[in-house]
Amino acid sequence: MQYLCLIYGALRQPCVLPACGWRAVEQAHLVCDHVVRASRHYLAAEALDNASATVSVRVCANASQVIPGPLMSCGEALTGFLLIEARDLNDAIRVASRVPFAAAGTVEVRPIRPLKEQREDPP
């Protein structure tokens, strides 16, 4: 089964990774990426650009509303994602626990529902 691990970085909390700094964080994610690839769970992963470059879009009454910045919860912004293949939720949680930001932020693990299951009702 596929799982999407949404990586949220703590914006207000100081980094708890050793030798803190963006270079250290980037290196930690590269190590994590290597570990996940070697475990054969890896499907895709990317870091997201700075939250200040983000806009959120909502459509109301056929009009687009653009809101500067990300939608945030508890001061954490979405900083990246990891798409994995895992046996079950426990296996996915084990993989998500290796993400460096799990120590300073949050990694949300969400099962992927195959699109074919959504096509039961015609559009």
Side-chain angles (χ1 to χ4, degrees), residues 113-123:
R113 181 176 7 154
L115 201 52
K116 63 183 177 189
E117 291 179 18
Q118 296 176 6
R119 292 189 183 159
E120 292 175 7
D121 298 325

Side-chain angles (χ1 to χ4, degrees), residues 67-111:
I67 305 156
L71 297 175
M72 292 185 9
S73 173
C74 300
E76 295 181 338
L78 184 62
T79 60
F81 73 89
L82 178 63
L83 181 62
I84 62 171
E85 182 77 36
R87 288 185 310 275
D88 54 29
L89 180 59
N90 289 331
D91 191 29
I93 291 169
R94 186 178 56 75
V95 173
S97 297
R98 296 180 185 169
V99 174
F101 268 128
T106 304
V107 179
E108 177 183 336
V109 178
R110 187 176 291 192

Side-chain angles (χ1 to χ4, degrees), residues 3-121:
Y3 292 86
L4 182 62
C5 300
L6 298 168
I7 303 167
Y8 293 88
L11 297 179
R12 295 184 203 154
Q13 177 180 348
C15 180
V16 297
L17 296 173
C20 186
W22 283 112
R23 275 293 206 212
V25 172
E26 185 177 77
Q27 186 61 38
H29 278 286
L30 289 173
V31 169
C32 173
D33 184 66
H34 178 74
V35 169
V36 174
R37 283 178 190 257
S39 73
R40 305 231 187 264
H41 288 90
Y42 179 91
L43 295 175
E46 291 294 340
L48 301 177
D49 202 352
N50 192 315
S52 65
T54 302
V55 298
S56 299
V57 178
R58 291 190 174 145
V59 176
C60 184
N62 293 326
S64 295
Q65 178 184 19
V66 178
I67 305 156
L71 297 175
M72 292 185 9
S73 173
C74 300
E76 295 181 338
L78 184 62
T79 60
F81 73 89
L82 178 63
L83 181 62
I84 62 171
E85 182 77 36
R87 288 185 310 275
D88 54 29
L89 180 59
N90 289 331
D91 191 29
I93 291 169
R94 186 178 56 75
V95 173
S97 297
R98 296 180 185 169
V99 174
F101 268 128
T106 304
V107 179
E108 177 183 336
V109 178
R110 187 176 291 192
I112 300 291
R113 181 176 7 154
L115 201 52
K116 63 183 177 189
E117 291 179 18
Q118 296 176 6
R119 292 189 183 159
E120 292 175 7
D121 298 325

